């Protein structure tokens, strides 16, 4: 059994980096994000992908639909395991406001021990994303799947494969519209590419 997963971070929305989008509804791609989706589609068309799965957030679904169209695939399947971190009442707040919150500061130093207010820990996130990857990998040999998700969710999966503690999240980047390739088999898993961005 071997399966290849292309972990895709959604393309950029207009306010990326200004506030914590989280699970806030109605955040769609901006003009630059739509251009990124076109480049992602061209890049992933070469990978002979069988299926696409996506987080339920609007920005991920838009990204996944664009990739599916470019690759000649049916509409992506939505899976809650790919959803953004449940940031609870932090969602939608600016980073300026969050930086004054002591819990937010603790979250960014020891995510392995801190639960978001009304939400989840990064270990919860890691369990759900890698549970989905293992389930999909068992469904057949040589499958090639794109999973469209969010930066912290992809970081949790990569950390698991590399044997890094969840608190190592700040040691590598997952940029908007990036592709990280992971191969999973009976023998284990390995990262083939990390944070590949098509310009």
């Amino acid at each position: 059994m071997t399966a290849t997963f292309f972990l895709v971070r959604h393309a950029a929305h207009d306010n990326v980096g200004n506030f914590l989008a989280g699970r806030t509804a109605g955040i769609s791609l901006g003009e630059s994000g739509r251009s990124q989706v076109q480049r992602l589609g061209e890049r992933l068309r070469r990978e002979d992908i069988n299926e696409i799965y996506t987080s339920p957030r609007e920005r991920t679904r838009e990204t996944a639909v664009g990739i599916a169209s470019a690759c000649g695939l049916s509409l992506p399947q939505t899976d809650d395991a790919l959803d953004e971190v449940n940031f609870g009442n932090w969602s939608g707040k600016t980073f300026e406001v969050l930086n004054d919150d002591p819990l937010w500061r603790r979250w960014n130093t020891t995510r392995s021990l801190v639960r978001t207010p009304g939400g989840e820990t990064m270990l919860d996130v890691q369990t759900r994303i890698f549970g989905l990857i293992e389930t999909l990998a068992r469904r057949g040999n040589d499958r090639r799947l794109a999973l469209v998700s969010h930066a912290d969710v992809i970081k949790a999966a990569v950390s698991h494969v590399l044997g890094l503690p969840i608190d190592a999240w700040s040691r590598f980047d997952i940029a908007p519209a990036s592709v990280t390739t992971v191969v999973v088999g009976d023998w284990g898993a390995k990262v083939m590419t990390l944070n590949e961005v098509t310009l």
Side-chain angles (χ1 to χ4, degrees):
M1 175 199 80
T2 301
T4 302
F5 294 90
F6 301 93
L7 308 179
V8 180
R9 181 179 174 189
H10 63 82
H13 53 83
D14 285 336
N15 294 307
V16 70
N18 297 329
F19 72 103
L20 184 64
R23 295 185 175 185
T24 304
I27 298 175
S28 58
L29 301 182
E31 185 177 336
S32 65
R34 288 188 290 276
S35 295
Q36 289 173 337
V37 169
Q38 184 176 7
R39 291 191 298 275
L40 269 174
E42 292 167 4
R43 158 70 182 87
L44 291 171
R45 190 169 41 227
R46 301 190 305 263
E47 297 296 348
D48 199 22
I49 293 170
N50 307 114
E51 292 177 272
I52 301 177
Y53 291 79
T54 181
S55 154
R57 299 301 122 200
E58 188 171 336
R59 57 198 184 272
T60 50
R61 287 186 288 113
E62 285 180 85
T63 302
V65 166
I67 294 167
S69 177
C71 295
L73 296 170
S74 58
L75 288 176
Q77 299 178 57
T78 300
D79 197 299
D80 289 341
L82 295 168
D83 204 352
E84 176 63 284
V85 175
N86 181 355
F87 288 107
N89 65 21
W90 284 342
S91 290
K93 291 188 176 178
T94 66
F95 292 112
E96 183 179 2
V97 168
L98 289 170
N99 287 334
D100 289 334
D101 184 337
L103 184 62
W104 171 255
R105 291 194 302 272
R106 281 185 47 221
W107 161 263
N108 285 306
T109 55
T110 53
R111 290 189 178 184
S112 59
L113 300 175
V114 177
R115 180 174 301 279
T116 63
E120 60 188 342
T121 68
M122 282 306 297
L123 294 173
D124 296 331
V125 175
Q126 190 173 66
T127 298
R128 66 175 158 89
I129 180 60
F130 218 80
L132 174 65
I133 288 172
E134 289 176 327
T135 297
L136 294 174
R138 285 194 299 268
R139 290 187 182 167
N141 199 28
D142 297 325
R143 296 181 79 212
R144 299 173 69 78
L145 303 106
L147 306 182
V148 184
S149 191
H150 308 268
D152 283 338
V153 179
I154 295 170
K155 284 185 174 199
V158 169
S159 294
H160 180 73
V161 173
L162 294 178
L164 295 173
I166 203 72
D167 293 325
W169 67 273
S170 63
R171 296 181 190 172
F172 59 94
D173 287 329
I174 299 294
S178 65
V179 179
T180 295
T181 309
V182 174
V183 176
V184 178
D186 293 332
W187 41 265
K190 61 183 173 180
V191 175
M192 305 299 290
T193 69
L194 178 65
N195 195 38
E196 175 192 344
V197 177
T198 303
L199 301 176

